[in-house]
Amino acid sequence: MTTSLEAPASTPAFQQVGLARKAKNGVATVLVWLSFLIAVVPLIWVLYTVIVNGITRIPFSNWWGEDFGNVLSDEVGGGVLHAVIGTLLQGLVCAVIAVPLGLFVAIYLVEYGRGKLAKTTTFMVDILSGVPSIVAALFIYALWITTFGLPRSGFAVSLALVLLMIPVVVRSSEEMLRIVPDDLREASYALGVPKWKTIVKIVLPTALSGIIGGIMMALARVMGETAPLLVLVGYSSYVNWNIFSGEQASLPLVMNNERVTNTMTPGSVGFERIWGAALTLVLIIAVINLLATLISRLVAPKKK
């Protein structure tokens, strides 16, 4: 006589997969891969075009160590040192202003936001995320230059980029903070730790790796903007370290200036400079993203 414990177990229900479910799974798999290919092919095409057309100037040391100050517009030579410095300075000042503001807003919305103020803040962030770059540039022009009478400068460009960067930082940081388990917060509160210290010691370190990734994504987005540069600062072919005064170049401005002053026939000086500047911008953003990935892994919570 066999007992119920000795009787053979029945086949689990999840192992009995029907043909219809297998067919649906196959169709879904094909659609996912097809969507992936549709998204990747244009990306590979763009990267291939930029690399093929821009690689002619990148390997030379003068491209990274000189400016166009002593070179004629149609003369071979010179480099984008002035534009790289301008791009990095404007992006750095923008990040210094936008990152704390965006992070504080995200913390407020996730940890403290209740009532009409939180709803209003969320609504304004949504509106700001849809503002075109030219509108942000015109707003800063009206406020900074027309109202206050201050000169066009790289700092004015950074202020316009702040308006574009803040909503991206807020949204990415907000999502990272929300995925932190509430159990960690409740355990900290149970030990008598104040809420602000729980946020600083528990919540932020747990979400920090994702927050850094979102910040770098936002920075990469604004570094390629052109409209604020055209409105708020003039192009200079020399290196300008003073972001508060004078004309200042950047990589998008180099591309626009060469498009206006030179011919765009393949093999011409203007053609090579435009694609070289584009590839330089792609390389800088790629390096920033690699650094962000490395930092994110270093600060990520360690798994035992």
Side-chain angles (χ1 to χ4, degrees), residues 229-248:
L229 298 163
L230 297 175
V231 175
L232 297 170
V233 69
Y235 175 75
S236 172
S237 57
Y238 294 90
V239 174
N240 180 14
W241 289 92
N242 189 356
I243 196 173
F244 296 100
S245 177
E247 298 176 341
Q248 189 174 54

Side-chain angles (χ1 to χ4, degrees), residues 51 62 117 141 171 187 207 209 211 222-223 235 263 301:
I51 293 173
N62 64 337
L117 181 58
Y141 185 90
R171 283 289 169 245
S209 60
I211 291 174
V222 301
M223 286 178 66
Y235 175 75
T263 60

Side-chain angles (χ1 to χ4, degrees), residues 35-72:
S35 301
F36 172 75
L37 291 176
I38 292 175
V40 168
V41 168
L43 175 62
I44 296 176
W45 191 2
V46 170
L47 288 177
Y48 173 79
T49 304
V50 173
I51 293 173
V52 169
N53 292 318
I55 198 64
T56 55
R57 301 298 297 272
I58 294 295
F60 299 101
S61 59
N62 64 337
W63 179 256
W64 300 95
E66 298 179 6
D67 55 33
F68 291 149
N70 298 319
V71 180
L72 299 177

Side-chain angles (χ1 to χ4, degrees), residues 210-275:
I211 291 174
I212 292 175
I215 290 172
M216 293 305 173
M217 179 183 67
L219 183 60
R221 179 210 184 269
V222 301
M223 286 178 66
E225 291 289 346
T226 306
L229 298 163
L230 297 175
V231 175
L232 297 170
V233 69
Y235 175 75
S236 172
S237 57
Y238 294 90
V239 174
N240 180 14
W241 289 92
N242 189 356
I243 196 173
F244 296 100
S245 177
E247 298 176 341
Q248 189 174 54
S250 65
L251 291 169
L253 270 185
V254 168
M255 289 182 266
N256 180 76
N257 183 73
E258 295 299 324
R259 180 189 62 82
V260 173
T261 58
N262 287 316
T263 60
M264 279 297 294
T265 56
S268 64
V269 174
F271 184 88
E272 292 182 353
R273 286 177 178 175
I274 288 175
W275 286 106

